[in-house]
Amino acid sequence: MTMKRYLCVLFLHFTIVTVQSQGFDCPTNWTGPDCNFLCFCQDDRCHTTGKCEETFNCKDGYFGFACQYSDIAFFKENGTTSVLTDNDVRTCIQDQTTSSVTVPMVANRFTFLHAVFTVSGLADVLKLSDITLKFNTNVKCADIKFIPLDSITLEIYCNNSESNLTSVTLSGTNVNSLCDVHVSGGRNVAVKKPVTASSTYILFRADKIVDGRNQYDPFSNQYCFHSNANDRSPHVNISLDQDFLLYRFKIFNRKGVLALRAKYFKIDLFNVNNLIVWSYQDTEEGEISVYDVICGYQSTVRSLRFMITYGTTPFLSVCEIEAYGDCLKTKYGLGCLSTCSSQCKNSYCNIEGLCLECRDGFYGLDCASECPEGCRSPRTCDRLTGFCTSGCGLGYYTGFCDSFCPDNCNKKLACDINTGDCINGCEVGFHGIVCYESCPRYCKANLGCDQNSSECVNGCAVGLYGSYCNNTCSGRCKKNQACDQNTGSCINGCEAGFRGSYCNRTCPEHCRMDQGCAQNTSECIYGCEIGYYDSYCNRTCPEDCKIDQSCAQKNGFCISGCEYGFHGNTCRESKMLVN
């Protein structure tokens, strides 16, 4: 079989009228509310929801929701299928040292893949999101997103625009637990859509090119379309009412010499205003059975025209046109009729309505649960658990930020997110890891004390000393009994009549002015009482000094003169009396 590939990405529109149907009510090979979707379950019987019977999986080459997605990583040519592309979750990577695997794929634009692991539980699957993707062009996965679909499956999305990727490499510590990798090539959204033709030959109607049967019997009118011989511009139009993003489409041609009738075919894409937005003209020679076209065009398409312009008597004779794509990012469901939740970030979701990412403030697979109120703004939390990923807002702690910080934490109740310990100290008057204990009552400056030791950091109230201000200063300290916090020594001197570091010793007895003396030396600083001298006033003035024996403190000289009959500095010399 000869195949040919081209480039193109398009959006398609169509409308499906929903019909209520229960159970396995569709004919064999069909599914969906209106039975308008092909069934790709192994027994060809699907529930109307698209689910396979309990004991059956998707057919080889298909995967995902309702088995609708074409798996472009599935190869069975020449026995080259690996354990990752064999559609069998029982076969897994055996080499536990594996940290990187490369999976080939049909040339396409990458959108997402399903990775199946040997794990159990949603929490374990989500832990695998450390995996990175890279493509054959050495381009990395852009804006990677992860959705845990079930207990063993992780859906991985990329937002890359390259349209000719042929392999994807998965790297990470958990690659060694991989069992299956399915790469999306989109799903056939053209099947059973409205088609009109410029002409019809007998029973070879236009609707046969979207009937889901891609057999190319050259003579049977059961499978293929054929235009009239007198139609000089044969074409078919596929009209669509709803937007779809297309990645590629396949054209199944007639066999043998009849395949030449599709030679030099042309495709025109039209927008909502019926203006051509993209055109392609085939130029290949020879008998080509299947055309495989990949598009790089990425805009809304309202209708598609396929036409033949080659030859003097052109015939349009093809058996099937398959358009592979998906819903717009904001739509989901088999018919893409449902709108993604507003709680999804940018309102983007997958075909099952699961958000690619939650809007700030929400979590859960459907993003329907609100993140804890205590999460730090913008209030983001773990997709699966609700654990606050950006930390807690002021005043909250624990992983879910649902506990209040202690009331006495400093700086607006800031505390450790895990333990609740007050990390910025305590409000004035409290100490301890969680600031529940009161500071000593006599700490100075509104009872401020050290958070860990409870020592008074700003000194003590007047009259007290010690690390905890639990000792009383000497009652002889000057100025309201103030003393040093650490030693208890009187820092402002002593009351009159006392001396020493603690003012616990008396001044010399004959110091003047109520026995005032120097605190440390005990020298009489205001002089001596009359009749005494020296630094400590412990010596008696000469007895013949005039006026009550007053003398100078420093040297004992009589400062007011001598009594009658004496002279000299100390009045110790007698005067000779003359009659």
Side-chain angles (χ1 to χ4, degrees):
M1 178 186 297
T2 303
M3 297 185 70
K4 178 182 173 186
R5 297 186 174 94
Y6 302 98
L7 299 177
C8 146
V9 166
L10 50 139
F11 286 93
L12 302 179
H13 308 254
F14 70 85
T15 297
I16 291 181
V17 179
T18 302
V19 176
Q20 297 297 323
S21 181
Q22 301 294 328
F24 297 91
D25 294 341
C26 292
T28 301
N29 294 324
W30 293 95
T31 186
D34 296 334
C35 302
N36 279 345
F37 295 87
L38 285 169
C39 168
F40 295 108
C41 294
Q42 289 175 341
D43 64 342
D44 292 326
R45 293 189 70 242
C46 300
H47 192 277
T48 52
T49 61
K51 291 184 178 180
C52 302
E53 291 185 278
E54 187 173 347
T55 56
F56 292 91
N57 295 318
C58 298
K59 289 181 179 179
D60 290 346
Y62 293 91
F63 75 100
F65 179 72
C67 299
Q68 288 292 298
Y69 287 95
S70 168
D71 184 0
I72 56 177
F74 182 82
F75 290 96
K76 277 196 172 181
E77 299 173 4
N78 303 320
T80 59
T81 303
S82 74
V83 295
L84 298 183
T85 57
D86 61 0
N87 199 28
D88 187 349
V89 297
R90 297 169 299 178
T91 58
C92 306
I93 291 177
Q94 299 298 314
D95 184 356
Q96 293 304 297
T97 65
T98 303
S99 61
S100 180
V101 292
T102 298
V103 178
M105 56 188 249
V106 174
N108 205 354
R109 184 171 71 89
F110 183 91
T111 54
F112 75 91
L113 62 76
H114 279 190
V116 184
F117 298 87
T118 55
V119 295
S120 180
L122 283 174
D124 291 332
V125 171
L126 202 56
K127 289 177 183 176
L128 302 174
S129 58
D130 65 339
I131 286 178
T132 60
L133 303 187
K134 187 171 67 174
F135 305 103
N136 58 289
T137 56
N138 210 32
V139 172
K140 292 183 179 180
C141 174
D143 193 26
I144 193 168
K145 296 288 185 296
F146 301 91
I147 301 178
L149 297 182
D150 54 41
S151 60
I152 61 173
T153 308
L154 192 66
E155 195 166 76
I156 306 176
Y157 281 82
C158 298
N159 190 24
N160 291 68
S161 60
E162 295 84 3
S163 58
N164 199 29
L165 303 174
T166 57
S167 70
V168 56
T169 299
L170 295 85
S171 303
T173 56
N174 295 298
V175 165
N176 57 11
S177 62
L178 272 171
C179 297
D180 263 351
V181 174
H182 306 283
V183 180
S184 173
R187 54 197 181 99
N188 183 11
V189 297
V191 65
K192 287 197 174 182
K193 300 305 179 293
V195 183
T196 58
S198 56
S199 64
T200 300
Y201 177 69
I202 314 177
L203 298 178
F204 294 81
R205 302 187 314 271
D207 62 347
K208 296 182 182 297
I209 65 173
V210 290
D211 63 0
R213 297 180 294 183
N214 53 26
Q215 296 92 335
Y216 18 68
D217 188 318
F219 300 109
S220 173
N221 61 15
Q222 297 181 37
Y223 305 120
C224 303
F225 165 74
H226 200 305
S227 64
N228 272 332
N230 60 355
D231 190 345
R232 292 297 176 261
S233 182
H235 60 272
V236 293
N237 291 307
I238 303 176
S239 298
L240 309 153
D241 296 322
Q242 185 164 313
D243 293 346
F244 278 85
L245 178 61
L246 272 187
Y247 317 132
R248 65 189 179 106
F249 56 91
K250 297 178 73 172
I251 301 167
F252 290 83
N253 198 8
R254 303 291 292 274
K255 283 187 176 181
V257 66
L258 295 179
L260 291 174
R261 290 179 173 177
K263 186 176 180 180
Y264 303 154
F265 68 86
K266 184 182 180 184
I267 297 176
D268 292 321
L269 303 181
F270 297 84
N271 65 12
V272 66
N273 297 317
N274 204 32
L275 299 175
I276 295 176
V277 293
W278 182 83
S279 294
Y280 170 77
Q281 179 74 62
D282 175 54
T283 59
E284 285 294 321
E285 302 287 344
E287 301 171 1
I288 299 174
S289 300
V290 180
Y291 292 91
D292 194 345
V293 181
I294 304 170
C295 292
Y297 177 72
Q298 299 183 44
S299 188
T300 302
V301 174
R302 186 57 60 93
S303 62
L304 162 69
R305 180 171 65 197
F306 184 92
M307 62 187 303
I308 302 298
T309 58
Y310 173 71
T312 56
T313 308
F315 286 101
L316 197 165
S317 181
V318 294
C319 298
E320 193 76 14
I321 295 178
E322 294 180 344
Y324 288 90
D326 210 344
C327 305
L328 296 184
K329 293 180 180 180
T330 57
K331 297 289 184 178
Y332 72 96
L334 280 174
C336 301
L337 297 175
S338 299
T339 300
C340 300
S341 168
S342 61
Q343 280 131 285
C344 297
K345 190 171 185 177
N346 300 317
S347 294
Y348 291 169
C349 66
N350 73 353
I351 190 174
E352 297 180 68
L354 299 178
C355 301
L356 270 64
E357 194 174 9
C358 292
R359 184 164 61 87
D360 289 345
F362 295 89
Y363 75 99
L365 293 183
D366 55 1
C367 299
S369 300
E370 290 194 42
C371 293
E373 182 181 350
C375 290
R376 180 184 296 166
S377 180
R379 208 171 150 206
T380 56
C381 61
D382 182 85
R383 173 73 178 271
L384 192 61
T385 65
F387 190 95
C388 296
T389 54
S390 57
C392 295
L394 215 53
Y396 296 89
Y397 76 101
T398 72
F400 298 99
C401 302
D402 54 358
S403 295
F404 292 104
C405 293
D407 292 339
N408 297 318
C409 287
N410 195 14
K411 294 187 178 178
K412 297 183 179 178
L413 306 179
C415 66
D416 183 272
I417 187 174
N418 298 310
T419 65
D421 295 348
C422 297
I423 55 179
N424 293 315
C426 303
E427 291 290 336
V428 174
F430 297 90
H431 73 95
I433 295 176
V434 291
C435 302
Y436 282 151
E437 301 174 64
S438 297
C439 291
R441 62 178 297 187
Y442 292 116
C443 290
K444 190 178 180 181
N446 297 321
L447 308 179
C449 67
D450 182 87
Q451 180 179 7
N452 300 312
S453 68
S454 78
E455 294 181 356
C456 297
V457 294
N458 296 313
C460 301
V462 174
L464 300 167
Y465 75 97
S467 297
Y468 307 99
C469 299
N470 54 353
N471 298 314
T472 303
C473 295
S474 168
R476 300 297 184 181
C477 289
K478 197 173 183 180
K479 292 186 179 179
N480 299 320
Q481 301 179 357
C483 65
D484 182 89
Q485 181 183 356
N486 299 314
T487 65
S489 61
C490 298
I491 55 178
N492 294 314
C494 303
E495 293 290 339
F498 295 89
R499 62 185 174 86
S501 296
Y502 304 98
C503 301
N504 56 352
R505 300 173 67 186
T506 58
C507 290
E509 180 182 2
H510 298 295
C511 288
R512 191 178 178 186
M513 292 184 68
D514 297 325
Q515 300 181 350
C517 65
Q519 182 178 4
N520 298 318
T521 64
S522 72
E523 293 181 351
C524 296
I525 54 177
Y526 299 110
C528 302
E529 291 180 351
I530 294 174
Y532 296 90
Y533 77 98
D534 202 359
S535 296
Y536 305 100
C537 300
N538 56 355
R539 299 178 70 181
T540 305
C541 292
E543 58 180 317
D544 292 319
C545 288
K546 195 174 182 180
I547 308 178
D548 298 326
Q549 297 181 346
S550 60
C551 63
Q553 180 181 3
K554 182 176 181 181
N555 50 28
F557 289 177
C558 295
I559 56 176
S560 298
C562 302
E563 290 290 341
Y564 181 75
F566 295 91
H567 71 95
N569 290 335
T570 58
C571 297
R572 295 186 185 281
E573 300 178 40
S574 298
K575 289 184 179 181
M576 186 177 291
L577 297 175
V578 180
N579 291 325

